[in-house]
Amino acid sequence: MPRTIHIIGAGLAGLSAGVRLARPDNRVVVHEATAFAGGRCRSYYDASVGMTIDNGNHLLLSGNRAALDFLRTIGTEHRLIGPPVAEFPFLDLKRRARWTLRFDDGRLPFWIFDSKRRVPGTHALDYLSMARLLWGRPDKTVGETIACKGALYSGLIEPLLLAALNIDPPQGSAKLAAAVIRETLAAGGRACRPLIARDGLAPTLIEPALNYLRAPGAQVRLEHQLRGMRFAAQRVEALDFGDEIVALGDADAVILAVPPYAAASLVAGLSVPNEYRAIVNAHFRIAPPAGQPPILGIINGTTQWVFAFPGRLSVTVSAGDALLDTPREELARTIWAEVAQAAGLPAEPLPPWQIVRERRATFAATPAQDQKRPGPRTAWRNLLLAGDWTDTGLPATIEGAIRSGNRAAELLRQMQP
Ligand SMILES: Cc1cc2nc3c(=O)[nH]c(=O)nc-3n(C[C@H](O)[C@H](O)[C@H](O)COP(=O)(O)OP(=O)(O)OC[C@H]3O[C@@H](n4cnc5c(N)ncnc54)[C@H](O)[C@@H]3O)c2cc1C
């Protein structure tokens, strides 16, 4: 008889575990508390802009190998779009200067010797500070490891780490920063091509994963929130969904792929990160002008990145906690003024807009919070953890979430009864 694997949470960690485990010898059941799959990576119809949008712009890089492997498996890798080479156009709003960072495909960074391809105002030797970050001490912050000032910092290190760690970089963990640099800049341009789900997160990452799961008979139960677990000495005996108690057979297992605060409420005594950082997104219904790059970095503004989608320009502000209490329309107007300047569009009228503020977008990537991240195993042999907040060695990202799901699935495969 096949064993049943209950996956709690249909975010990318839970879905990637499910995709790995949906085989004839496993019965996979995914239980999701809300009415939709995708968790923090989702699309929805927004009446204010009159179109389906993503909760937030999500950027992948060509070096995100687990994410790309996941997309290949579910058949949607071709839905990611990006330039054929690793290039990032930037605009400094204060200095009104534009430039494009262009990395070499290989690992050798010839671009830092080329004043047309590196950050304006920097010299090749400045880039040695990146090496200091690579070999920085794991218990230190970025601010304790490198000087967080100067042209290289504001033109490359700050935007890269702000986006990847979702924290003001000086407070960020040097270990997590090193992991990001190792997997991106240090791996060469082939790992740094920016990739965007142009048609939306749900049609690219989520719905095809659900179809892939359902094809061999996996069940996906939406609005089915896990309320508690019954623990025996070494195993979980039953799952409590409020109106239904599900008893677990000897070979059955559970992958808990919920956010850290939910995991802590379900497993007493579990160490989890408990500080968060917000991400703010602004969406404007307007056709991007001809020549607008798919992604544009902005320096010296509230806006950090402008993404161009069909019929829409969308903005990301990472570590956006200071904007959580700004009145929505004021924020939309501030950001639109910057986007209009960047895209060469009229500042008036304000196009139809939406502001999406995710307060707990990611755990705060400080050294102290990083140390609270648990591994996948628990004190109960049939209970494993997954999620971008578990100890993946990466900051909270799609890549980290998918690697955590793969890792939990692999451990369960090894425990095959
Ligand atoms: C606005 C925004 C922008 C981002 N941008 C990027 C980006 O550009 N690049 C990038 O790589 N990453 C980005 N991220 C991070 C990325 O979205 C996350 O790392 C990833 O989606 C986390 O997946 P997860 O499965 O670990 O967690 P989640 O997506 O949080 O999934 C957990 C799921 O568990 C469910 N759940 C909770 N409690 C229960 C329960 N008791 N029973 C059943 N189900 C439960 C939740 O409803 C949820 O669906 C961004 C995040 C946000 C919010």
Side-chain angles (χ1 to χ4, degrees):
M1 190 162 120
R3 63 177 172 172
T4 302
I5 296 169
H6 295 275
I7 297 176
I8 315 298
L12 281 168
L15 292 177
S16 56
V19 161
R20 287 270 169 123
L21 289 164
R23 303 274 178 279
D25 48 347
N26 295 318
R27 213 185 127 241
V28 171
V29 187
V30 181
H31 308 268
E32 165 56 45
T34 66
F36 52 85
R40 277 169 283 156
C41 185
R42 62 183 189 278
S43 311
Y44 71 100
Y45 179 79
D46 188 286
S48 304
V49 286
M51 62 203 312
T52 297
I53 59 175
D54 297 330
N55 65 317
N57 306 313
H58 280 63
L59 178 68
L60 284 168
L61 292 176
S62 47
N64 290 157
R65 55 177 192 273
L68 293 185
D69 187 49
F70 172 75
L71 287 170
R72 225 169 280 130
T73 305
I74 62 174
T76 53
E77 194 190 10
H78 63 283
R79 294 202 185 148
L80 292 180
I81 60 131
V85 291
E87 57 180 25
F88 291 83
F90 275 93
L91 164 65
D92 183 330
L93 286 174
K94 206 159 79 188
R95 298 192 180 86
R96 294 179 179 263
R98 287 182 190 264
W99 68 93
T100 299
L101 290 179
R102 280 198 189 87
F103 306 128
D104 298 282
D105 271 357
R107 280 176 188 269
L108 289 177
F110 296 112
W111 60 276
I112 68 176
F113 299 101
D114 182 344
S115 61
K116 292 202 190 67
R117 293 196 288 150
R118 67 185 179 215
V119 180
T122 62
H123 302 280
L125 279 181
D126 298 340
Y127 291 76
L128 278 178
S129 66
M130 312 270 287
R132 256 206 310 287
L133 255 187
L134 267 180
W135 290 295
R137 288 213 358 222
D139 56 331
K140 296 285 185 200
T141 61
V142 171
E144 288 165 336
T145 310
I146 57 162
C148 292
K149 58 182 190 212
L152 178 64
Y153 177 73
S154 58
L156 175 58
I157 298 177
E158 185 179 33
L160 170 71
L161 295 185
L162 196 49
L165 268 62
N166 190 31
I167 193 166
D168 192 21
Q171 302 169 10
S173 148
K175 175 187 129 191
L176 294 177
V180 168
I181 293 176
R182 207 172 293 122
E183 298 210 4
T184 57
L185 292 179
R190 264 193 286 271
C192 299
R193 277 181 53 230
L195 297 170
I196 298 168
R198 187 192 45 196
D199 301 326
L201 296 171
T204 306
L205 285 134
I206 309 302
E207 283 153 17
L210 295 176
N211 295 338
Y212 184 94
L213 281 174
R214 285 179 178 131
Q219 252 183 298
V220 181
R221 301 187 64 178
L222 301 176
E223 298 184 272
H224 206 234
Q225 181 178 357
L226 183 69
R227 312 268 170 184
M229 287 185 273
R230 200 182 300 144
F231 295 99
Q234 290 182 4
R235 57 185 287 274
V236 177
E237 282 184 329
L239 300 177
D240 177 359
F241 293 95
D243 55 354
E244 187 187 355
I245 305 284
V246 176
L248 300 186
D250 240 13
D252 295 349
V254 183
I255 296 179
L256 191 60
V258 298
Y261 46 88
S265 75
L266 290 162
V267 183
L270 185 67
S271 164
V272 300
N274 54 2
E275 279 178 32
Y276 301 90
R277 289 294 183 273
I279 298 181
V280 175
N281 275 262
H283 305 275
F284 301 97
R285 198 184 74 200
I286 192 160
Q292 179 71 20
I295 169 166
L296 171 68
I298 303 285
I299 308 287
N300 283 321
T302 299
T303 304
Q304 292 165 359
W305 298 95
V306 183
F307 290 74
F309 294 99
R312 166 166 64 95
L313 287 170
S314 290
V315 162
T316 294
V317 185
S318 294
D321 301 73
L323 305 179
L324 289 177
D325 298 327
T326 308
R328 289 163 44 75
E329 181 157 349
E330 182 186 324
L331 193 52
R333 286 191 182 281
T334 303
I335 293 177
W336 176 250
E338 295 178 349
V339 174
Q341 186 184 335
L345 289 167
E348 293 289 344
L350 179 65
W353 57 272
Q354 181 56 281
I355 299 282
V356 182
R357 298 189 257 216
E358 293 266 7
R359 283 170 189 270
R360 293 190 286 196
T362 67
F363 74 88
T366 62
Q369 289 291 303
D370 185 50
Q371 275 164 22
K372 290 177 185 268
R373 300 167 82 184
R377 293 179 200 274
T378 67
W380 299 275
R381 64 174 161 76
N382 63 345
L383 175 64
L384 292 165
L385 303 174
D388 62 354
W389 55 276
T390 58
D391 189 10
T392 62
L394 292 176
T397 51
I398 291 179
E399 177 70 9
I402 291 178
R403 281 194 205 173
S404 78
N406 291 348
R407 180 177 61 180
E410 191 47 43
L411 285 170
L412 270 190
R413 249 197 289 198
Q414 289 165 13
M415 290 180 207
Q416 198 79 26

